[in-house]
Amino acid sequence: MASDTLYIAEPKAAHTHTVIFLHGRDSNGREFASELFESEASEPVDQPRTLQDLFPNIRWVFPSAIALHSSRFSTDMSQWFDMWSVENPAERPELQYPGLHQSIEKILTVIKAEETLVPRERIFLAGISQGFATAIATFFTDNTPKKFAGLIGLSSWMPALLRTEDYPRFDNTADTVLGSSRSTPIFLSHSVDDDVVPIDNGRELRDTLRLQRLTVEWRQYEDGGHWVNEPQGVDDMVRFISKHMARDDSMPLYPDRYRPARSPSPHRRQYQPHNMDTTLDVAIYHPTDQRDPHHWAINIRSPMSRGTIHQVYDNIGGRGYYVGDVRWHIRPNSARLFRQAIFIGRLRWLYLRRIRRLIQSWPVNNTSIHWNYQRWIVEIVYWLWNAGLLVVRERSLRRLMRMREYWQ
């Protein structure tokens, strides 16, 4: 079931629980659902193991944010509220208030609609990035002190709205107002290599919630980018949902194989340089010229050497398109016009020098009126994939191709 503002994945079996999941900035409910349902847990082996497969009794609800004007980038984009900086969410907080107030009312309406199907104790409220910032704001500003089954936050931060005096409920003295909602369990996860939302923002969110004496389960991963880590991050989320689904005769704890296990020995997993720990992202920047499509660049990150950025430049008065010099050890999100980074896949570290040389020597076409530097990147990605040098996350590649279709 889908509409312009709501995408719903109906349960495959009898409906017992609901997950309301909010997408991140510059996305929508249908697109986010498609990507989320491609993420897999580690078990059961040789069987379907997406979230829909593991939880056939859950109804998945994905609201969509409306298009709001971005003050920083002077364009309209899908977002729950406008903001100036993801790296520093407290910067220019006045931009966040109007959209966040509106989004909170929208999500409360969705929650009330789902409560006609199952009680709130069987509803999980979840979100990624700006989506969970909106979810946690909704949780604290709701005037109905009822307990959710749980809150799930991926790669997120504390919204500036909850730091103001407009909402005294977010205070250590607000026990009587929070009521039973304080017992709602919270799951937070974040990857160290998140290039969009720094992990320090996630840690601050964790610490702030714990100061409110809320029960927070925190999971941190070395890789995964601005997404859920696979498969460990998906496993952890599955365990959390399983643990906090209502226990009764009709709905046993599901599934048994995701009961928490003892921590593995620190000596069990040793770093091997031949592992595919080097990643390739496509960094996307806002245009400096309205006639120009969003600029793309290749960002290679490696734990064994300095990161690099590779891109094509456009010298209209001279050579036309040309491959620029490699830029070493620069984070894409440090640039003022940075928009987002899309994780494409993992590279074979042993061939890293060869890969970098190939990218820098990949030809550009200055004779075709249809050529652009987006095509240059797509050609490189496909070549590396076909040569066995890149293990691609296919949903990211499909997303990249969908974005490029608008610029042909």
Side-chain angles (χ1 to χ4, degrees):
M1 176 181 176
S3 69
D4 292 339
T5 59
L6 205 64
Y7 177 79
I8 298 175
E10 296 290 353
K12 298 179 179 181
H15 178 207
T16 61
H17 294 78
T18 293
V19 174
I20 302 173
F21 222 130
L22 278 61
H23 63 79
R25 200 178 190 191
D26 203 25
S27 184
N28 59 63
R30 180 186 290 273
E31 179 181 279
F32 175 63
S34 175
E35 296 179 350
L36 182 67
F37 290 150
E38 289 183 5
S39 299
E40 292 185 328
S42 60
E43 296 180 358
V45 180
D46 299 327
Q47 295 183 39
R49 49 185 182 273
T50 67
L51 292 173
Q52 280 186 302
D53 298 317
L54 295 173
F55 297 108
N57 301 93
I58 288 183
R59 169 181 162 101
W60 300 85
V61 179
F62 298 90
S64 290
I66 63 174
L68 297 175
H69 184 75
S70 171
S71 300
R72 181 169 185 177
F73 301 118
S74 300
T75 187
D76 291 342
M77 64 171 59
S78 171
Q79 53 182 346
W80 297 105
F81 53 89
D82 191 20
M83 62 186 303
W84 190 256
S85 170
V86 176
E87 293 83 4
N88 181 15
E91 187 175 359
R92 297 192 61 180
E94 71 279 1
L95 296 176
Q96 303 179 25
Y97 299 158
L100 189 50
H101 279 285
Q102 183 179 359
S103 293
I104 287 172
E105 293 301 318
K106 178 177 181 175
I107 301 307
L108 287 174
T109 301
V110 174
I111 293 171
K112 290 176 182 177
E114 291 304 311
E115 282 186 294
T116 64
L117 303 176
V118 292
R120 184 171 296 198
E121 291 78 8
R122 289 172 173 259
I123 298 176
F124 291 87
L125 184 58
I128 184 171
S129 194
Q130 194 186 69
F132 185 72
T134 304
I136 196 67
T138 302
F139 173 73
F140 277 107
T141 56
D142 183 14
N143 292 322
T144 306
K146 296 181 181 179
K147 174 186 176 181
F148 284 93
L151 303 183
I152 301 172
L154 312 176
S155 303
S156 193
W157 69 89
M158 178 62 67
L161 177 70
L162 297 182
R163 304 172 186 273
T164 70
E165 296 179 357
D166 297 338
Y167 290 90
R169 292 188 59 201
F170 194 68
D171 186 271
N172 286 328
T173 63
D175 293 317
T176 57
V177 184
L178 277 172
S180 62
S181 63
R182 188 180 291 281
S183 61
T184 297
I186 302 174
F187 173 86
L188 299 178
S189 73
H190 215 122
S191 295
V192 175
D193 66 346
D194 190 333
D195 276 339
V196 178
V197 178
I199 192 171
D200 286 343
N201 291 0
R203 291 168 178 155
E204 181 188 18
L205 170 63
R206 172 201 64 191
D207 295 342
T208 306
L209 294 177
R210 284 177 175 172
L211 283 175
Q212 305 304 312
R213 299 193 295 278
L214 294 169
T215 303
V216 179
E217 180 179 333
W218 169 259
R219 291 291 180 266
Q220 178 176 308
Y221 312 101
E222 290 303 314
D223 57 61
H226 192 58
W227 190 249
V228 58
N229 171 275
E230 294 183 60
Q232 185 59 51
V234 182
D235 287 349
D236 291 338
M237 185 162 54
V238 168
R239 289 192 186 98
F240 177 84
I241 295 174
S242 301
K243 178 180 178 181
H244 297 289
M245 290 176 79
R247 302 190 187 194
D248 55 42
D249 293 336
S250 62
M251 189 63 200
L253 185 61
Y254 179 94
D256 289 340
R257 62 180 169 272
Y258 284 104
R259 288 174 179 167
R262 291 182 299 174
S263 300
S265 167
H267 304 290
R268 183 169 298 176
R269 183 183 182 276
Q270 298 293 330
Y271 175 76
Q272 298 294 332
H274 60 270
N275 285 351
M276 301 187 69
D277 292 332
T278 300
T279 61
L280 185 148
D281 303 331
V282 172
I284 299 178
Y285 303 86
H286 286 274
T288 56
D289 187 329
Q290 292 302 317
R291 298 169 300 175
D292 191 29
H294 292 84
H295 188 80
W296 290 13
I298 291 178
N299 176 38
I300 293 178
R301 294 175 294 147
S302 172
M304 299 294 290
S305 64
R306 294 180 295 168
T308 54
I309 293 180
H310 309 259
Q311 56 190 322
V312 167
Y313 293 94
D314 183 6
N315 185 352
I316 297 175
R319 294 175 289 176
Y321 292 109
Y322 66 98
V323 180
D325 294 333
V326 60
R327 302 178 65 189
W328 292 88
H329 207 55
I330 296 177
R331 293 172 61 89
N333 61 357
S334 62
R336 182 176 60 87
L337 296 176
F338 175 75
R339 180 184 179 188
Q340 62 179 313
I342 301 177
F343 169 73
I344 300 299
R346 301 189 181 280
L347 295 163
R348 296 194 180 279
W349 180 81
L350 290 177
Y351 298 95
L352 186 55
R353 289 186 179 180
R354 174 187 171 190
I355 291 170
R356 284 173 173 161
R357 288 198 303 268
L358 181 141
I359 292 174
Q360 288 304 114
S361 62
W362 196 269
V364 298
N365 189 338
N366 287 311
T367 61
S368 171
I369 61 174
H370 301 293
W371 192 90
N372 55 35
Y373 36 70
Q374 288 80 27
R375 178 174 175 179
W376 178 77
I377 287 178
V378 170
E379 287 178 355
I380 291 172
V381 168
Y382 271 104
W383 191 93
L384 293 173
W385 187 16
N386 290 330
L389 300 175
L390 173 66
V391 176
V392 168
R393 176 180 282 178
E394 294 190 33
R395 70 159 178 270
S396 299
L397 190 59
R398 289 197 297 269
R399 180 181 179 189
L400 202 68
M401 295 304 294
R402 286 199 303 269
M403 295 175 68
R404 183 171 179 265
E405 287 175 2
Y406 294 104
W407 301 333
Q408 287 295 87

